[in-house]
Amino acid sequence: MAMQNILPLATLLAAAPAAADGPALVETPAAVASTGLVDPAAEVLALEQERNRRLTLPVIVDGAGPYAFMIDTGSQATAITHEIRAALALPSAGTATLVGMASRREVDLVDIGRIEFGANSFTNFAAPVLERNNVGADGIIGLDALQDFRVLIDFRNQTIAVEDASERDRSGGFEIVVRARTKLGQLLITDALVEGVRATVIIDTGAQASLANTALRDRVRAKRAQEVLTTDVNGVDLLGELAIVSTLTIEGLALTDVPLTFADTPAFAALGLSDKPALSLGMQHLALFDRVAIDFARQRILFDVPRDIAKAMREAKRLQSYKLGF
């Protein structure tokens, strides 16, 4: 069997301890977009909630299914589990090195002709085969299948809209629009601040907990609270230090008292972020927003905050503009 190139698949699959309090949203002045709705032509799919608050959607694999896949913006590759491989007798496509949050492992690949999610499809690709217990779903829709789409997760209504990224620009209704740069298909927010320290943020919809590297820990005043054990897609445990940082700010909106698990991982190294402050923002914190849209074609990430926060942000901006007028 041939060994293929490394596939960085950075999914963290364990929640932070229940004892850790969630962060609170704090309103600060920010740019406000005009109001608007999701494109009515977009394919809207109902979501099911998995055991660790991960969200899944129905996917057809080579005409069979539906199977419950999660959309994972922290994963380079679309992957399936051994159960699907066995049920469909999928042919081997060699092996690859899979980079998880805690480990590098050689895994089998299989050839897949077509997957369908809603009206969308991804064809003719080799998929890593993973253990379902380590994934928490039947499979993963990764970045390779998402590059032509804008993915909108609506936490308020528990739906997901998969929109054609070639359609006209739609940013209405989002209070925060963040430009990102791309690396290995991943969108990176490079101007976030953690306790005033500039850090790179990865949006990881496949992870429950938020993870940061030790380069960030060493720059902030976070105090170690406790050790926490998490498991990556290879089934390898990662021991990290759970601590609370006072603020995380993205484009004028601050989260306060944010629990982060600090650890050095192969996944950060694969993105060239071993020595640079960085964190992966998981569903634990993304769910604080009403909606999050990841627009791969335009390299931007959009956040819609709860209505009371949005109102306070607009009022803060109005007052700031008023003061500048004097």
Side-chain angles (χ1 to χ4, degrees), residues 123-232:
T123 60
N124 301 321
F125 64 99
V129 183
L130 307 176
E131 297 288 343
R132 196 187 194 284
N133 286 343
N134 298 331
V135 176
D138 294 322
I140 293 170
I141 298 178
L143 295 171
D144 52 356
L146 296 174
Q147 292 302 305
D148 294 331
F149 300 109
R150 184 177 88 157
V151 177
L152 170 62
I153 300 176
D154 187 330
F155 292 101
R156 185 171 54 218
N157 296 315
Q158 292 292 288
T159 61
I160 190 166
V162 183
E163 302 175 299
D164 186 344
S166 65
E167 298 293 332
R168 64 187 179 90
D169 182 19
R170 295 187 65 87
S171 60
F174 292 92
E175 281 71 33
I176 303 171
V177 179
V178 183
R179 293 291 173 182
R181 67 179 179 87
T182 183
K183 187 167 186 178
L184 298 178
Q186 182 73 255
L187 292 183
L188 307 177
I189 300 173
T190 58
D191 57 356
L193 296 175
V194 181
E195 295 189 355
V197 175
R198 191 170 298 277
T200 297
V201 174
I202 303 163
I203 302 297
D204 190 354
T205 61
Q208 168 60 15
S210 295
L211 187 74
N213 61 8
T214 57
L216 177 60
R217 180 201 62 192
D218 294 342
R219 295 281 302 276
V220 300
R221 297 180 297 275
K223 295 182 179 180
R224 175 177 169 181
Q226 65 185 95
E227 290 185 340
V228 59
L229 192 67
T230 59
T231 305
D232 72 2

Side-chain angles (χ1 to χ4, degrees), residues 40-76:
E43 182 73 13
V44 178
L45 303 172
L47 292 171
E48 294 182 4
Q49 201 157 13
E50 282 285 310
R51 55 185 169 83
N52 280 338
R53 300 179 187 170
R54 291 189 300 278
L55 302 170
T56 66
L57 69 160
V59 173
I60 302 296
V61 180
D62 282 347
Y67 298 101
F69 277 52
M70 65 177 176
I71 287 185
D72 186 355
T73 59
S75 168
Q76 291 292 319

Side-chain angles (χ1 to χ4, degrees), residues 79-159:
I80 65 165
T81 54
H82 287 282
E83 287 79 1
I84 294 180
R85 178 187 189 177
L88 303 185
L90 295 171
S92 173
T95 61
T97 299
L98 192 71
V99 181
M101 274 296 179
S103 62
R104 296 172 181 266
R105 285 285 189 274
E106 183 177 331
V107 297
D108 290 338
L109 298 175
V110 293
D111 280 324
I112 295 180
R114 182 185 184 91
I115 63 169
E116 300 171 52
F117 43 103
N120 307 298
S121 64
F122 183 52
T123 60
N124 301 321
F125 64 99
V129 183
L130 307 176
E131 297 288 343
R132 196 187 194 284
N133 286 343
N134 298 331
V135 176
D138 294 322
I140 293 170
I141 298 178
L143 295 171
D144 52 356
L146 296 174
Q147 292 302 305
D148 294 331
F149 300 109
R150 184 177 88 157
V151 177
L152 170 62
I153 300 176
D154 187 330
F155 292 101
R156 185 171 54 218
N157 296 315
Q158 292 292 288
T159 61

